[in-house]
Coordinates of all heavy atoms in Angstrom, one line a residue:
M278 N -24.6 -10.8 -20.5 CA -24.0 -11.7 -19.6 C -22.7 -11.1 -19.0 O -22.6 -11.2 -17.8 CB -23.6 -13.0 -20.4 CG -23.0 -14.1 -19.5 SD -24.2 -14.8 -18.5 CE -23.4 -16.1 -17.8
T279 N -21.9 -10.4 -19.8 CA -20.7 -9.8 -19.2 C -21.0 -8.7 -18.3 O -20.4 -8.5 -17.3 CB -19.8 -9.3 -20.4 OG1 -19.6 -10.4 -21.3 CG2 -18.5 -8.8 -19.9
S280 N -22.1 -7.9 -18.6 CA -22.5 -6.8 -17.7 C -23.0 -7.3 -16.4 O -22.8 -6.7 -15.3 CB -23.5 -5.9 -18.4 OG -24.7 -6.7 -18.6
L281 N -23.6 -8.5 -16.4 CA -24.1 -9.1 -15.2 C -23.0 -9.5 -14.3 O -23.0 -9.3 -13.0 CB -25.0 -10.3 -15.5 CG -25.7 -10.9 -14.3 CD1 -26.6 -9.9 -13.6 CD2 -26.5 -12.1 -14.7
I282 N -21.9 -10.1 -14.9 CA -20.7 -10.5 -14.1 C -20.1 -9.2 -13.5 O -19.6 -9.2 -12.3 CB -19.8 -11.3 -15.0 CG1 -20.4 -12.6 -15.4 CG2 -18.4 -11.5 -14.3 CD1 -19.6 -13.4 -16.4
L283 N -20.0 -8.2 -14.3 CA -19.4 -6.9 -13.8 C -20.2 -6.3 -12.7 O -19.6 -5.9 -11.7 CB -19.3 -6.0 -15.0 CG -18.6 -4.6 -14.7 CD1 -17.1 -4.9 -14.3 CD2 -18.6 -3.7 -15.9
I284 N -21.5 -6.3 -12.8 CA -22.3 -5.8 -11.7 C -22.2 -6.6 -10.5 O -22.1 -6.1 -9.3 CB -23.8 -5.7 -12.2 CG1 -23.9 -4.6 -13.3 CG2 -24.7 -5.4 -11.0 CD1 -25.3 -4.6 -14.0
E285 N -22.2 -7.9 -10.6 CA -22.1 -8.8 -9.4 C -20.8 -8.7 -8.7 O -20.7 -8.6 -7.5 CB -22.4 -10.2 -9.9 CG -22.6 -11.2 -8.7 CD -23.9 -10.9 -7.9 OE1 -24.9 -10.4 -8.5 OE2 -23.9 -11.1 -6.7
T286 N -19.7 -8.6 -9.5 CA -18.4 -8.4 -9.0 C -18.3 -7.1 -8.2 O -17.7 -7.0 -7.1 CB -17.3 -8.5 -10.1 OG1 -17.5 -9.7 -10.8 CG2 -15.9 -8.4 -9.5
T287 N -18.8 -6.0 -8.8 CA -18.8 -4.7 -8.2 C -19.6 -4.8 -6.8 O -19.1 -4.2 -5.8 CB -19.3 -3.7 -9.1 OG1 -18.6 -3.7 -10.3 CG2 -19.2 -2.3 -8.5
S288 N -20.7 -5.4 -6.9 CA -21.5 -5.6 -5.7 C -20.8 -6.3 -4.5 O -20.8 -5.9 -3.4 CB -22.8 -6.3 -6.0 OG -23.5 -6.6 -4.8
L289 N -20.1 -7.3 -4.9 CA -19.3 -8.1 -3.9 C -18.1 -7.3 -3.3 O -17.8 -7.5 -2.2 CB -18.8 -9.4 -4.5 CG -19.9 -10.4 -4.9 CD1 -19.3 -11.6 -5.6 CD2 -20.7 -10.9 -3.6
L290 N -17.6 -6.4 -4.1 CA -16.4 -5.7 -3.6 C -16.9 -4.5 -2.8 O -16.2 -4.0 -1.9 CB -15.6 -5.1 -4.8 CG -14.8 -6.2 -5.6 CD1 -14.2 -5.6 -6.8 CD2 -13.8 -6.9 -4.7
I291 N -18.1 -3.9 -3.1 CA -18.5 -2.7 -2.4 C -19.2 -3.1 -1.1 O -19.1 -2.2 -0.1 CB -19.5 -1.9 -3.3 CG1 -18.6 -1.3 -4.4 CG2 -20.2 -0.9 -2.6 CD1 -19.3 -0.4 -5.3
R292 N -19.8 -4.2 -0.9 CA -20.5 -4.5 0.4 C -19.6 -4.4 1.6 O -20.0 -3.7 2.6 CB -21.1 -5.9 0.3 CG -22.4 -5.9 -0.6 CD -22.8 -7.3 -0.9 NE -23.3 -8.0 0.2 CZ -23.7 -9.3 0.2 NH1 -23.7 -10.0 -1.0 NH2 -24.2 -9.9 1.3
P293 N -18.4 -5.0 1.7 CA -17.6 -4.8 2.8 C -17.1 -3.4 3.0 O -17.0 -2.9 4.2 CB -16.3 -5.7 2.6 CG -16.8 -6.7 1.6 CD -17.8 -6.0 0.8
L294 N -16.9 -2.7 1.9 CA -16.5 -1.3 2.0 C -17.6 -0.4 2.6 O -17.4 0.4 3.5 CB -16.1 -0.8 0.6 CG -15.6 0.7 0.6 CD1 -14.3 0.8 1.3 CD2 -15.5 1.1 -0.9
A295 N -18.8 -0.7 2.2 CA -20.0 0.0 2.7 C -20.2 -0.3 4.2 O -20.5 0.6 5.0 CB -21.2 -0.3 1.9
L296 N -19.9 -1.5 4.6 CA -20.0 -1.9 6.0 C -19.0 -1.1 6.8 O -19.3 -0.6 7.9 CB -19.8 -3.4 6.1 CG -19.7 -4.0 7.5 CD1 -21.1 -3.8 8.2 CD2 -19.4 -5.4 7.5
G297 N -17.8 -1.0 6.3 CA -16.8 -0.3 7.0 C -17.1 1.2 7.2 O -16.9 1.8 8.2
V298 N -17.6 1.8 6.1 CA -18.0 3.2 6.2 C -19.1 3.4 7.2 O -19.1 4.4 8.0 CB -18.4 3.7 4.8 CG1 -19.1 5.1 4.8 CG2 -17.2 3.7 3.9
R299 N -20.1 2.5 7.2 CA -21.2 2.6 8.2 C -20.7 2.5 9.6 O -21.2 3.3 10.5 CB -22.3 1.6 7.8 CG -23.5 1.7 8.6 CD -24.6 0.8 8.2 NE -24.2 -0.6 8.1 CZ -24.4 -1.4 7.1 NH1 -25.0 -1.0 6.0 NH2 -24.0 -2.7 7.1
L300 N -19.8 1.5 9.9 CA -19.3 1.4 11.2 C -18.5 2.6 11.6 O -18.6 3.1 12.8 CB -18.5 0.1 11.3 CG -19.2 -1.2 11.2 CD1 -18.2 -2.3 11.1 CD2 -20.1 -1.4 12.4
T301 N -17.7 3.1 10.7 CA -16.9 4.3 11.0 C -17.8 5.5 11.3 O -17.5 6.3 12.3 CB -16.0 4.6 9.9 OG1 -15.1 3.5 9.6 CG2 -15.1 5.8 10.1
A302 N -18.8 5.7 10.6 CA -19.7 6.8 10.8 C -20.4 6.7 12.2 O -20.6 7.7 12.9 CB -20.8 6.9 9.7
N303 N -20.9 5.5 12.5 CA -21.6 5.3 13.8 C -20.6 5.6 15.0 O -21.0 6.3 15.9 CB -22.1 3.9 13.9 CG -23.3 3.6 13.0 OD1 -24.0 4.6 12.6 ND2 -23.6 2.4 12.7
L304 N -19.4 5.1 14.9 CA -18.5 5.3 16.0 C -18.0 6.8 16.1 O -17.9 7.3 17.2 CB -17.3 4.4 15.9 CG -17.6 2.9 16.0 CD1 -16.3 2.1 15.8 CD2 -18.1 2.6 17.4
T305 N -17.8 7.4 14.9 CA -17.4 8.8 14.9 C -18.5 9.7 15.5 O -18.3 10.7 16.2 CB -17.1 9.3 13.5 OG1 -16.1 8.4 13.0 CG2 -16.7 10.7 13.4
A306 N -19.8 9.4 15.2 CA -20.9 10.2 15.7 C -20.9 10.1 17.3 O -21.1 11.1 17.9 CB -22.2 9.7 15.1
G307 N -20.7 8.9 17.8 CA -20.7 8.8 19.3 C -19.5 9.5 19.9 O -19.7 10.2 20.9
H308 N -18.4 9.5 19.3 CA -17.2 10.2 19.8 C -17.5 11.8 19.7 O -17.1 12.5 20.6 CB -16.0 9.9 19.0 CG -15.4 8.5 19.4 ND1 -15.9 7.4 19.0 CD2 -14.3 8.2 20.2 CE1 -15.2 6.4 19.6 NE2 -14.3 6.9 20.3
L309 N -18.1 12.2 18.7 CA -18.3 13.6 18.6 C -19.3 14.1 19.6 O -19.2 15.2 20.2 CB -18.9 14.0 17.2 CG -17.8 13.9 16.0 CD1 -18.5 14.1 14.7 CD2 -16.8 15.0 16.2
L310 N -20.3 13.3 19.9 CA -21.3 13.6 20.9 C -20.7 13.7 22.3 O -20.9 14.6 23.1 CB -22.5 12.6 20.9 CG -23.7 13.0 21.7 CD1 -24.3 14.3 21.4 CD2 -24.7 11.9 21.6
I311 N -19.8 12.7 22.6 CA -19.0 12.7 23.8 C -18.2 14.0 24.0 O -18.1 14.6 25.0 CB -18.2 11.4 24.0 CG1 -19.1 10.3 24.3 CG2 -17.2 11.6 25.1 CD1 -18.4 8.9 24.3
Q312 N -17.5 14.4 22.9 CA -16.7 15.6 22.9 C -17.5 16.8 23.1 O -17.1 17.7 23.9 CB -15.9 15.7 21.5 CG -15.1 16.9 21.4 CD -13.9 17.0 22.4 OE1 -13.4 16.0 22.7 NE2 -13.6 18.2 22.8
L313 N -18.7 16.9 22.5 CA -19.6 18.0 22.7 C -20.0 18.2 24.1 O -20.0 19.2 24.7 CB -20.8 17.9 21.7 CG -21.8 19.0 21.8 CD1 -21.2 20.3 21.2 CD2 -23.0 18.6 21.0
I314 N -20.5 17.1 24.7 CA -21.0 17.1 26.1 C -19.8 17.4 27.1 O -20.0 18.1 28.1 CB -21.7 15.8 26.4 CG1 -23.0 15.8 25.6 CG2 -22.1 15.7 27.9 CD1 -23.8 14.5 25.7
S315 N -18.7 16.8 26.8 CA -17.6 17.1 27.8 C -17.1 18.5 27.7 O -16.8 19.1 28.7 CB -16.4 16.2 27.4 OG -15.9 16.4 26.2
T316 N -17.2 19.1 26.5 CA -16.9 20.6 26.4 C -17.9 21.4 27.1 O -17.6 22.4 27.8 CB -16.8 21.0 24.9 OG1 -15.9 20.2 24.2 CG2 -16.5 22.5 24.8
A317 N -19.2 21.0 27.0 CA -20.2 21.7 27.8 C -20.0 21.6 29.3 O -20.3 22.5 30.0 CB -21.6 21.2 27.3
T318 N -19.6 20.4 29.7 CA -19.4 20.2 31.1 C -18.3 21.1 31.7 O -18.5 21.7 32.7 CB -19.0 18.7 31.4 OG1 -20.1 17.9 30.9 CG2 -18.8 18.4 32.9
V319 N -17.2 21.2 31.0 CA -16.1 22.0 31.4 C -16.5 23.5 31.4 O -16.2 24.3 32.3 CB -14.9 21.8 30.5 CG1 -13.8 22.8 30.8 CG2 -14.3 20.4 30.7
A320 N -17.3 23.9 30.3 CA -17.7 25.3 30.2 C -18.7 25.7 31.3 O -18.6 26.8 31.8 CB -18.3 25.5 28.8
L321 N -19.5 24.8 31.7 CA -20.5 25.1 32.7 C -20.0 25.0 34.1 O -20.7 25.4 35.1 CB -21.7 24.2 32.5 CG -22.6 24.4 31.3 CD1 -23.7 23.3 31.2 CD2 -23.3 25.8 31.4
F322 N -18.9 24.4 34.3 CA -18.4 24.1 35.7 C -18.2 25.4 36.5 O -18.5 25.5 37.7 CB -17.1 23.3 35.6 CG -16.6 22.9 37.0 CD1 -17.3 21.9 37.7 CD2 -15.5 23.4 37.6 CE1 -16.9 21.5 39.0 CE2 -15.1 23.1 38.9 CZ -15.8 22.1 39.5
S323 N -17.6 26.4 35.8 CA -17.3 27.6 36.6 C -18.6 28.5 36.7 O -18.6 29.3 37.7 CB -16.2 28.4 35.9 OG -16.7 28.8 34.6
T324 N -19.5 28.4 35.9 CA -20.7 29.3 35.9 C -21.9 28.6 36.7 O -22.5 29.2 37.6 CB -21.2 29.7 34.5 OG1 -21.4 28.6 33.8 CG2 -20.1 30.6 33.9
I325 N -22.2 27.4 36.3 CA -23.4 26.7 36.9 C -23.0 25.3 37.3 O -23.1 24.4 36.5 CB -24.6 26.6 35.9 CG1 -24.8 28.0 35.3 CG2 -25.8 26.2 36.6 CD1 -25.8 27.9 34.1
P326 N -22.4 25.1 38.5 CA -21.9 23.8 38.9 C -22.9 22.7 39.0 O -22.6 21.6 38.7 CB -21.3 24.1 40.3 CG -21.1 25.6 40.4 CD -22.1 26.2 39.5
V327 N -24.2 23.0 39.3 CA -25.2 22.0 39.4 C -25.5 21.4 38.0 O -25.6 20.2 37.9 CB -26.5 22.6 40.1 CG1 -27.6 21.5 40.1 CG2 -26.2 23.0 41.5
V328 N -25.6 22.3 37.1 CA -25.9 21.8 35.7 C -24.7 21.1 35.2 O -24.8 20.1 34.4 CB -26.3 23.0 34.8 CG1 -26.4 22.6 33.4 CG2 -27.5 23.7 35.3
S329 N -23.5 21.5 35.6 CA -22.3 20.8 35.1 C -22.2 19.4 35.7 O -21.8 18.5 35.0 CB -21.1 21.6 35.6 OG -19.9 20.9 35.3
L330 N -22.7 19.2 36.9 CA -22.7 17.9 37.5 C -23.7 17.0 36.7 O -23.5 15.8 36.5 CB -23.0 17.9 39.0 CG -21.9 18.5 39.8 CD1 -22.4 18.6 41.3 CD2 -20.7 17.6 39.7
L331 N -24.9 17.6 36.3 CA -25.9 16.8 35.6 C -25.3 16.4 34.2 O -25.5 15.3 33.7 CB -27.1 17.6 35.4 CG -28.0 17.8 36.7 CD1 -29.1 18.7 36.4 CD2 -28.4 16.5 37.2
T332 N -24.6 17.4 33.5 CA -24.0 17.0 32.2 C -22.9 16.0 32.4 O -22.7 15.2 31.5 CB -23.5 18.3 31.5 OG1 -22.6 18.9 32.3 CG2 -24.6 19.2 31.1
L333 N -22.2 16.0 33.5 CA -21.2 15.0 33.8 C -21.8 13.6 34.0 O -21.3 12.6 33.5 CB -20.4 15.4 35.1 CG -19.2 14.5 35.4 CD1 -18.2 14.6 34.3 CD2 -18.6 14.9 36.7
L334 N -23.0 13.6 34.6 CA -23.7 12.3 34.7 C -24.1 11.8 33.3 O -24.0 10.6 33.0 CB -24.9 12.5 35.6 CG -25.8 11.3 35.8 CD1 -25.1 10.1 36.4 CD2 -27.1 11.6 36.5
V335 N -24.7 12.7 32.5 CA -25.0 12.4 31.1 C -23.8 11.9 30.4 O -23.9 10.9 29.6 CB -25.7 13.6 30.4 CG1 -25.9 13.3 29.0 CG2 -27.1 13.9 31.1
L336 N -22.7 12.5 30.6 CA -21.5 12.1 29.9 C -21.0 10.7 30.3 O -20.6 9.9 29.5 CB -20.4 13.1 30.2 CG -19.0 12.9 29.5 CD1 -19.1 12.9 28.0 CD2 -18.0 13.9 30.1
F337 N -21.1 10.4 31.6 CA -20.8 9.1 32.1 C -21.7 8.0 31.5 O -21.3 7.0 31.0 CB -20.9 9.1 33.6 CG -20.6 7.7 34.2 CD1 -19.3 7.2 34.2 CD2 -21.6 7.0 34.8 CE1 -19.0 6.0 34.7 CE2 -21.3 5.7 35.3 CZ -20.0 5.2 35.3
L338 N -23.0 8.3 31.5 CA -24.0 7.3 30.9 C -23.8 7.2 29.4 O -23.9 6.1 28.8 CB -25.4 7.8 31.2 CG -25.8 7.8 32.7 CD1 -27.2 8.4 32.8 CD2 -25.7 6.4 33.2
L339 N -23.4 8.3 28.7 CA -23.2 8.2 27.3 C -21.9 7.4 27.0 O -21.9 6.7 26.0 CB -23.1 9.6 26.7 CG -23.0 9.7 25.2 CD1 -24.3 9.2 24.5 CD2 -22.8 11.2 24.8
T340 N -20.9 7.5 27.8 CA -19.7 6.7 27.6 C -20.0 5.2 27.8 O -19.5 4.4 27.0 CB -18.6 7.2 28.7 OG1 -18.4 8.6 28.5 CG2 -17.3 6.4 28.5
I341 N -20.8 4.9 28.8 CA -21.2 3.5 28.9 C -22.0 3.0 27.7 O -21.7 1.9 27.2 CB -22.0 3.3 30.2 CG1 -21.2 3.5 31.4 CG2 -22.7 1.9 30.2 CD1 -21.9 3.5 32.7
L342 N -22.9 3.8 27.2 CA -23.6 3.5 26.0 C -22.7 3.3 24.8 O -22.8 2.4 24.0 CB -24.7 4.6 25.7 CG -25.5 4.4 24.4 CD1 -26.4 3.1 24.6 CD2 -26.3 5.6 24.1
E343 N -21.7 4.2 24.7 CA -20.7 4.2 23.6 C -19.9 2.9 23.6 O -19.6 2.3 22.6 CB -19.8 5.4 23.6 CG -18.8 5.5 22.5 CD -19.5 5.7 21.1 OE1 -20.6 6.2 21.1 OE2 -18.8 5.5 20.1
I344 N -19.5 2.4 24.8 CA -18.8 1.2 24.9 C -19.7 0.0 24.5 O -19.2 -0.9 23.7 CB -18.3 1.0 26.4 CG1 -17.2 2.0 26.6 CG2 -17.8 -0.4 26.6 CD1 -16.8 2.1 28.1
A345 N -21.0 0.0 24.9 CA -21.9 -1.1 24.5 C -22.1 -1.0 23.0 O -22.1 -2.1 22.3 CB -23.2 -0.9 25.2
V346 N -22.2 0.1 22.4 CA -22.4 0.2 20.9 C -21.2 -0.3 20.2 O -21.3 -1.0 19.2 CB -22.7 1.7 20.5 CG1 -22.6 1.9 19.0 CG2 -24.1 2.1 21.0
A347 N -20.0 0.0 20.7 CA -18.7 -0.4 20.1 C -18.7 -1.9 20.1 O -18.2 -2.6 19.1 CB -17.5 0.2 20.8
I348 N -19.1 -2.6 21.2 CA -19.1 -4.0 21.3 C -20.1 -4.6 20.3 O -19.7 -5.6 19.6 CB -19.4 -4.5 22.7 CG1 -18.2 -4.1 23.6 CG2 -19.6 -6.0 22.8 CD1 -18.5 -4.3 25.1
I349 N -21.2 -4.1 20.2 CA -22.2 -4.6 19.3 C -21.8 -4.4 17.8 O -21.9 -5.2 17.0 CB -23.6 -3.9 19.5 CG1 -24.2 -4.3 20.9 CG2 -24.6 -4.2 18.4 CD1 -25.3 -3.5 21.4
Q350 N -21.2 -3.2 17.5 CA -20.7 -2.9 16.2 C -19.6 -3.9 15.8 O -19.6 -4.3 14.6 CB -20.2 -1.5 16.1 CG -21.3 -0.4 16.2 CD -22.1 -0.3 15.0 OE1 -21.8 -0.8 13.9 NE2 -23.2 0.5 15.1
A351 N -18.7 -4.2 16.7 CA -17.7 -5.1 16.4 C -18.2 -6.5 16.1 O -17.8 -7.2 15.2 CB -16.7 -5.2 17.6
Y352 N -19.2 -6.9 16.9 CA -19.9 -8.2 16.7 C -20.6 -8.3 15.3 O -20.4 -9.2 14.6 CB -20.9 -8.5 17.8 CG -21.7 -9.7 17.5 CD1 -21.2 -11.0 17.7 CD2 -23.0 -9.6 17.1 CE1 -21.9 -12.1 17.5 CE2 -23.8 -10.8 16.9 CZ -23.2 -12.0 17.1 OH -24.0 -13.1 16.8
V353 N -21.3 -7.2 15.0 CA -22.0 -7.2 13.7 C -21.0 -7.1 12.5 O -21.2 -7.8 11.5 CB -22.9 -5.9 13.6 CG1 -23.4 -5.7 12.2 CG2 -24.1 -6.1 14.6
F354 N -19.9 -6.4 12.7 CA -18.9 -6.3 11.7 C -18.3 -7.7 11.4 O -18.2 -8.2 10.2 CB -17.8 -5.4 12.1 CG -16.7 -5.3 11.0 CD1 -16.8 -4.5 9.9 CD2 -15.4 -5.9 11.2 CE1 -15.8 -4.4 8.9 CE2 -14.4 -5.8 10.3 CZ -14.6 -5.1 9.2
V355 N -17.9 -8.4 12.5 CA -17.3 -9.8 12.3 C -18.3 -10.7 11.7 O -18.0 -11.5 10.8 CB -16.8 -10.3 13.6 CG1 -16.4 -11.7 13.6 CG2 -15.6 -9.4 14.1
L356 N -19.6 -10.7 12.2 CA -20.6 -11.6 11.6 C -20.9 -11.3 10.2 O -20.9 -12.3 9.4 CB -21.9 -11.4 12.5 CG -23.1 -12.2 12.0 CD1 -22.8 -13.7 12.4 CD2 -24.3 -11.8 12.7
L357 N -21.1 -10.1 9.8 CA -21.3 -9.8 8.4 C -20.1 -10.1 7.5 O -20.3 -10.6 6.4 CB -21.8 -8.3 8.2 CG -23.2 -8.0 8.7 CD1 -23.5 -6.5 8.6 CD2 -24.2 -8.9 8.0
L358 N -18.9 -9.8 8.0 CA -17.8 -10.0 7.2 C -17.6 -11.5 7.0 O -17.2 -12.0 5.9 CB -16.5 -9.5 7.9 CG -15.3 -9.4 7.0 CD1 -15.5 -8.5 5.8 CD2 -14.1 -8.8 7.8
S359 N -17.9 -12.3 8.0 CA -17.7 -13.8 7.8 C -18.8 -14.3 6.8 O -18.6 -15.2 6.0 CB -17.8 -14.5 9.1 OG -19.1 -14.4 9.7
L360 N -20.0 -13.7 6.9 CA -21.0 -14.1 5.9 C -20.7 -13.7 4.5 O -20.9 -14.5 3.6 CB -22.4 -13.5 6.3 CG -23.1 -14.0 7.6 CD1 -24.3 -13.2 7.9 CD2 -23.4 -15.5 7.4
Y361 N -20.1 -12.5 4.3 CA -19.7 -12.1 3.0 C -18.6 -13.0 2.5 O -18.6 -13.4 1.3 CB -19.1 -10.7 3.0 CG -20.2 -9.6 3.3 CD1 -19.8 -8.4 3.8 CD2 -21.5 -9.9 3.1 CE1 -20.8 -7.4 4.1 CE2 -22.5 -8.9 3.4 CZ -22.1 -7.7 3.9 OH -23.0 -6.7 4.2
L362 N -17.6 -13.4 3.3 CA -16.6 -14.3 2.9 C -17.1 -15.7 2.6 O -16.6 -16.3 1.7 CB -15.5 -14.4 4.0 CG -14.6 -13.1 4.1 CD1 -13.7 -13.2 5.3 CD2 -13.9 -12.8 2.9
Q363 N -18.0 -16.2 3.3 CA -18.6 -17.5 3.1 C -19.3 -17.5 1.7 O -19.3 -18.5 1.0 CB -19.6 -17.9 4.1 CG -18.9 -18.4 5.4 CD -19.9 -18.8 6.5 OE1 -21.1 -18.7 6.3 NE2 -19.4 -19.2 7.6
E364 N -19.9 -16.4 1.4 CA -20.6 -16.3 0.1 C -19.6 -16.4 -1.1 O -19.9 -17.0 -2.1 CB -21.3 -15.0 -0.1 CG -22.7 -15.0 0.5 CD -23.4 -13.6 0.2 OE1 -22.9 -12.8 -0.6 OE2 -24.4 -13.4 0.8
N365 N -18.4 -15.8 -0.9 CA -17.5 -15.7 -2.0 C -16.4 -16.8 -2.1 O -15.7 -16.9 -3.0 CB -16.7 -14.4 -1.9 CG -17.7 -13.2 -2.0 OD1 -18.6 -13.3 -2.7 ND2 -17.5 -12.2 -1.3
I366 N -16.4 -17.6 -1.0 CA -15.3 -18.7 -1.1 C -16.0 -20.0 -1.4 O -17.1 -20.4 -1.1 CB -14.6 -18.8 0.3 CG1 -13.8 -17.5 0.4 CG2 -13.7 -20.0 0.3 CD1 -13.0 -17.4 1.7

C-alpha cells in the first residue's frame, strides 16, 4: 500500500516536468534548424546567390511554421497543465 502511494505521488510530480522537457526540446529543435538554415543562407550568398534566395525563402517559411508550432505548444502546455492540476486538487 505504501509503495503504491509513493509510485502515484512520483508519477504526479514527474508528469508536468516531462511535459516541460518535451516542450523545451521541441522549441529548441526548431530554433536550431532556423540557425542552421540562416547560416547556410549567409554562407551561400556570396558564392551562389540564387540558391541563397531559395534558402532565404525556406527560412521565412520555417519561421512562420515555428511561430505556429510555438502557439500550438503553448496551448497544449496550458491545457495539459490545467488537466493535471484538476486531477490533483
Side-chain angles (χ1 to χ4, degrees):
M278 182 71 172
T279 306
S280 63
L281 184 61
I282 293 171
L283 183 62
I284 291 171
E285 193 64 32
T286 304
T287 305
S288 169
L289 291 175
L290 292 175
I291 289 186
R292 283 168 69 186
L294 183 66
L296 175 64
V298 169
R299 187 171 54 228
L300 291 174
T301 303
N303 287 341
L304 294 176
T305 302
H308 283 76
L309 287 175
L310 190 57
I311 287 174
Q312 176 66 34
L313 180 68
I314 293 177
S315 63
T316 303
T318 302
V319 171
L321 290 172
F322 186 72
S323 62
T324 56
I325 312 171
V327 176
V328 175
S329 176
L330 290 175
L331 289 175
T332 57
L333 186 63
L334 176 65
V335 169
L336 180 63
F337 178 71
L338 294 174
L339 188 62
T340 303
I341 293 172
L342 178 66
E343 183 69 18
I344 290 170
V346 166
I348 292 169
I349 293 168
Q350 293 282 349
Y352 173 74
V353 167
F354 179 77
V355 169
L356 180 68
L357 288 177
L358 195 59
S359 67
L360 289 174
Y361 293 159
L362 289 175
Q363 283 178 359
E364 274 184 13
N365 297 325
I366 294 178

